[in-house]
Amino acid sequence: MLDFIYYPVSFILWCWHKVFGLVFGEANAISWVLAIVFLTVTVRGIMFKPFVNQVRSMKKMQDFAPEMKKIQKKYSNDRQRQAMEMQKLQKEHGVNPLGSCLPMLLQIPVFIGLNHVLRMFTINPYGGPKTENYFFDQAGVESYVHAKLFGVNLGDAIYTGVDMVSGGNAAPGFHWGVAPVAIPLMIVASIATHLTARHSVQRQNPESATPQTAMMNKLTMYVFPIGVLVFGALFPIGLLIYWLANNGWTLMQQRLVYTKIDKEEEARKAAEKEKRANLGPKPGQKPTAPRPGQKPVQQKRNKQSSGGQVKKAGSPHGFAQTESSTAEKKDAQDGTAESSTNGSKENGADVPGLISDSTKKSGRKRR
């Protein structure tokens, strides 16, 4: 039914077992342990990019958490409108809620597939001796069955008899001979699960906390690790190795990705701060305010262009005017007004056209 999961998982495990079998021998338990560990590395390496996108998506959602709370409060009585506004807000910020769940969802099929493949090394649903197990032939099956880690077969568990998780050649019931190997793996896997969840919770924004978020944090930090410690007795040794390798990889990956994103965030904030500093006044510089009654300063005249013409500042059309022509016009107007006044006084008549000889000199430029 789930062969589309079992065959890829068994193929990756088969490839790594062949690689390490050339070094340590195919029947050696070290080859199987390393094959399971590098199966984890392969799967998590494929999911590395989605994991980075998940972290960035969670960071964006924490940034606009106050806006989400406002929407929840505003449309508390209208769930449909609240959902629409939430989707609109997430679309504006480029956040996909499903993207944050993708890496976790992809790990579940791998866990189910590996558990099934390891169990089927010793279980033959058709009866008789086991001759093959997906990509493994009879030699590969016998290699796994006879591989022992500290005297314990990789397919054995502390308690067998639960069809969904247990396997191995042992009869149903408790097998305390497996405990010296299984219990340390269970404890370390439980601690790694707790540290992974705790590291993720510490990065959450307190402003975005909700009752549902607090409940999920408690589940991931305490309930899941306890579950690994308790129900790990049902898991075969090989599956406990996978669980430990998966959580160890997650913890290391979180530290690397979080450190990188923190550096990017610091660089972005530093760039914004520098930009604001460049736009504002320099440190120690006093702002220059205009004095009471002071007229606004006009623009400086442009430099003298070729031909001796200078554009007059404040000209509405920007036409080039020469200082000499402007002065001549002003002198001509003053001379005309003065000559007409003198002419009227000396001749005794108000005839502006009559100008005496003594007023001809008044056309000179006034100093």
Side-chain angles (χ1 to χ4, degrees), residues 58 62 69 197-198 200-202 204-224:
M58 292 176 63
Q62 292 178 7
K69 283 191 173 182
R198 184 177 182 179
S200 179
V201 170
Q202 286 177 347
Q204 294 180 1
N205 188 358
E207 297 181 356
S208 62
T210 60
Q212 295 79 8
T213 305
M215 183 179 298
M216 285 301 300
N217 291 340
K218 290 181 180 179
L219 286 174
T220 56
M221 288 181 62
Y222 302 107
V223 178
F224 289 172

Side-chain angles (χ1 to χ4, degrees), residues 9 23 25 62 95 114 116 148 158 190 192 194-195 199 216 218 226 236 252 289-290 295 299 306 365:
V9 171
V23 180
Q62 292 178 7
V95 174
L114 181 61
H116 180 79
K148 294 183 181 296
I158 294 178
S190 178
H194 171 75
L195 293 177
H199 192 212
M216 285 301 300
K218 290 181 180 179
I226 293 175
M252 178 190 67
K295 296 182 180 180
Q299 298 179 353
S306 58
K365 182 179 179 181

